[in-house]
Amino acid sequence: MSLNETSTDARDHLLINGEWVLATGGAPISVISPSTEEVIGHAPDASAADVDAAVRSARASFSRGSWRRLGIDERADILRRAVDLLEGSVEEVADLVTAQMGLPTSISRKKTPGGVWAARYIIDLALELPKEEIRQTMFGPVALLKEPVGVVAAIAPWNSPFNMAISKIIPALMAGNSVVYKPSPQTPLDAYRIAEALVEAGLPAGAFNLVTGGVETGRALAEHPDVDKVSFTGSTRAGREIAQSAGSRFARLQLELGGKSAAIILDDADPEVVKAGLIAGTFANTGQVCSSYTRILVPASSRQKWADVVVDAARSFVIGDAFDPATTMGPLVSAVQRDRVMDYIALGQAEGAVLATGGGVPEGLDRGYFVEPTVFVKADNSMRLAREEIFGPVATVIHYDDLDDAIEIANDSPYGLHGAVFTTDDHSALAVARGVRTGTFSVNSYIHNVQAPFGGVKDSGVGKEMGREGVEAFYEVKTVNLSSLDPNSLTS
Ligand code: NAD
C-alpha cells in the first residue's frame, strides 16, 4: 500500500532536549496528499512556549553540553551513523516526500538517495576544511579560529523537504552548533525520520531539536532572542520579515528566497539541449523550484522557432498521480498553491500575454491539485507575469533584439537567484554569464550542485548554502592576537 492510500503517520510529539515531548499548541496540522486531497498524516502545531523550550534546550546544549566540545571526528562519526540509518529507510523517506508534496516517485526515489549522498559529502567536506589559520601581522602572529555560531534556527519550505533539511542540519551540526529545525507545515513527516536517526545515532540531548508548525511557529523561532543564526529558505516576503527582526539583534542570517530566473537562448543554441534544459530547469517539480527558468528570453528574429521548443518541453511530461511510476509531473503542493498559479495564468491573459499551451487542469485530473504545464508568448518583461514569482509550471517567453538587450531584460527583475545561457559559442556563454547579475548561473544546462555554493542576490536572499561556503557559513571567525604565545601551541 502506498502512503497516499493510508493515513497512519500521526505525530503529536516534538523533539526537545533529547526527549519526545507532547506539543502544547492547538489542533495538529493535517498533512494532505496533493494527488488525492486525502489527509495522510498529522503533526503538531507547536506553540511559542514549545519553541522557547526548544531554543532553551539548544542554548543549554551549546553552553554546557558535549556536542560542540567533541572533536570534529567524533561529531562526524555520530552523524555518519545517523546517515547510515537514514539510508536504511531511504525508500520509505522518498515515499513520504512523494505523499506529502506530490513529487513523482520516479524522481523522489532518485533524489532522496541524493540527499543521503549529500549528507556524507558535507560531513567529509567539513572534516577537510581548515579550522584555524595563523597569520603574521605587524603586531605579531594572529590566530583565526573558526568556532560554531551558536544556536541555529533552520526553517524550510516544502518543495524539497528531505534534501533541504540535510543541507541545513548536517553542516550546522558538523560545525558544532545546536539546531532547532522547523520543516514546512505541508511536509513535516520526513523530518521525524531525520530526528529519529539523529537520536538513535547518539546525538547528545539538545544538540538537535524538532518543532513543527506554520507561520506563527516559524516567527516565534526566527524572532527568538536566543537564536544566533537563522538559516531560512522560503518566500521573499517571509525572508524580509525575518531579516528585519534578525537585523535588530544582529543575528547571523542566511536567506535563500524566491526567484524569477531568465534563460537566455542565443540563435546558435542546439534546440535539443535547450529542450532538455527547460524540462529540467523550468517545469521539473511542477515548477516549484526557486531557481526555475521562468522567463525564457529568445531572439526576436526567430521567436516562433524557440517558442515551439519551449512548448515542446512543456508538453513532454506525463502528468498524474505521484505514486504512478510512469508519472513525470505531479500536482502542485496544495489547493492554495494551485489557486495561486491559476490566478497568475488568468492575470497573464488579462495583461495581454498569449497562451501557447496549457493554462488549465489536465484532462481527467480534477481530483488533486494539478495544473497543465503552461507557456505564455507575446509577453513583456514589465508584466506582473514576468516580474512576480509564480512557483508553478508556467514559463513566459519574452523576445530580445541583441545580446545587450537580453542581458538588460534578464537583469530587469527584483530577483537575482539563477539564470542560464544556451549557446554553442563559448565566448558568448561567458559574456552572458558575466553580464547577468545573479548568485548562480548555468551554461547549456540546469544544474543543482551540492558541491558548489548556491544563493542569490537582490530579493533572492543573502549568503550561500552548499559547497565549502555553505559549510563555512555555520562558523564565526574569532581573531586571537597571540603576541607572546607560540603559534605552534595552538595547532590541535
Ligand atoms: P514560506 O516563506 O511561506 O514558508 C517557508 C517556511 O517558513 C515554512 O516553514 C513556513 O512555515 C515558515 N514561515 C513563513 N512565514 C514565516 C515568518 N514570517 N517567519 C518565520 N517563518 C516563517 O515559503 P513556502 O511557500 O513554503 O515556499 C516557497 C518559497 O520558497 C518560494 O518563494 C521559493 O522561491 C522559496 N524557495 C527558495 C529556495 C532557495 O534556495 N532560494 C529554495 C526553495 C524554495
Side-chain angles (χ1 to χ4, degrees), residues 154-160 164 168 182-186 213-223 230 232-239 241-242 245 255-259 288-291 333 337 340 389 391 415 417 448 454-456 460-461 465-466:
I155 302 176
W158 39 262
N159 65 330
S160 179
M164 200 169 298
K168 290 182 184 297
K182 192 197 91 62
S184 162
Q186 274 89 16
V215 175
E216 287 314 316
T217 310
R219 215 171 249 148
L221 180 55
E223 291 179 359
V230 183
F232 174 82
T233 302
S235 61
T236 296
R237 171 200 56 74
E241 194 183 312
I242 290 168
S245 74
L255 298 173
E256 303 287 346
L257 309 177
Q288 301 163 112
V289 182
C290 53
S291 50
V333 73
Q337 193 62 19
R340 176 186 157 92
E389 185 181 51
F391 224 55
Y415 295 106
L417 189 54
H448 191 67
F454 174 81
S460 293
E465 229 168 43
M466 302 191 288

Side-chain angles (χ1 to χ4, degrees), residues 116-469:
V116 170
W117 183 91
R120 293 206 174 100
Y121 173 76
I122 294 165
I123 292 169
D124 291 344
L125 184 64
L127 278 171
E128 279 166 22
L129 288 180
K131 308 298 171 310
E132 55 199 39
E133 181 194 328
I134 305 295
R135 272 190 210 165
Q136 295 303 329
T137 73
M138 61 192 278
F139 296 108
V142 164
L144 304 180
L145 306 183
K146 283 189 195 155
E147 299 185 337
V149 178
V151 173
V152 172
I155 302 176
W158 39 262
N159 65 330
S160 179
F162 177 74
N163 294 46
M164 200 169 298
I166 292 290
S167 70
K168 290 182 184 297
I169 294 166
I170 299 293
L173 288 176
M174 270 304 284
N177 297 286
S178 293
V179 175
V180 180
Y181 180 63
K182 192 197 91 62
S184 162
Q186 274 89 16
T187 54
L189 301 178
D190 56 291
Y192 281 86
R193 305 298 154 95
I194 298 174
E196 285 159 359
L198 288 168
V199 171
E200 197 179 330
L203 197 82
F208 178 80
N209 304 270
L210 174 67
V211 294
T212 54
V215 175
E216 287 314 316
T217 310
R219 215 171 249 148
L221 180 55
E223 291 179 359
H224 198 290
D226 227 4
V227 164
D228 298 302
K229 170 169 176 149
V230 183
S231 171
F232 174 82
T233 302
S235 61
T236 296
R237 171 200 56 74
R240 205 181 298 285
E241 194 183 312
I242 290 168
Q244 278 161 1
S245 74
S248 70
R249 62 178 202 277
F250 306 112
R252 301 298 182 252
L253 264 185
Q254 191 176 341
L255 298 173
E256 303 287 346
L257 309 177
K260 194 78 190 177
S261 301
I264 300 177
I265 298 171
L266 306 198
D267 218 11
D268 64 1
D270 178 339
E272 285 306 313
V273 172
V274 173
K275 183 178 164 185
L278 300 185
I279 288 172
T282 299
F283 300 106
N285 216 18
T286 323
Q288 301 163 112
V289 182
C290 53
S291 50
S292 286
Y293 309 140
T294 47
R295 294 182 295 150
I296 318 297
L297 311 193
V298 304
S301 54
S302 51
R303 69 184 82 163
Q304 188 58 50
K305 168 185 153 189
W306 292 112
D308 290 347
V309 173
V310 185
V311 167
D312 239 27
R315 289 186 180 155
S316 68
F317 287 86
V318 179
I319 309 168
D321 186 311
F323 275 103
D324 182 338
T327 295
T328 55
M329 181 181 282
L332 290 158
V333 73
S334 63
V336 170
Q337 193 62 19
R338 188 259 326 268
D339 293 349
R340 176 186 157 92
V341 172
M342 292 309 278
D343 285 351
Y344 270 107
I345 290 172
L347 173 75
Q349 290 170 288
E351 285 182 304
V354 174
L355 273 177
T357 188
V361 172
E363 220 180 292
L365 290 172
D366 298 329
R367 199 168 76 125
Y369 310 126
F370 294 92
V371 174
E372 288 176 316
T374 299
V375 178
F376 275 103
V377 293
K378 301 205 165 109
D380 189 273
N381 198 50
S382 65
M383 293 175 177
R384 282 180 59 198
L385 182 68
R387 305 200 75 74
E388 298 177 14
E389 185 181 51
I390 300 173
F391 224 55
V394 182
T396 303
V397 179
I398 299 165
H399 63 257
Y400 65 82
D401 294 328
D402 57 26
L403 210 53
D404 288 342
D405 189 32
I407 292 171
E408 204 175 309
I409 295 171
N411 287 337
D412 180 14
S413 170
Y415 295 106
L417 189 54
H418 190 204
V421 61
F422 289 86
T423 175
T424 45
D425 178 56
D426 292 356
H427 182 76
S428 306
L430 284 175
V432 176
R434 288 205 172 93
V436 175
R437 197 175 158 229
T438 58
T440 314
F441 200 80
S442 298
V443 176
N444 289 323
S445 59
Y446 174 85
I447 293 177
H448 191 67
N449 191 347
V450 298
Q451 294 181 284
F454 174 81
V457 297
K458 304 196 278 182
D459 280 7
S460 293
V462 174
K464 299 287 184 193
E465 229 168 43
M466 302 191 288
R468 176 188 174 139
E469 291 75 5

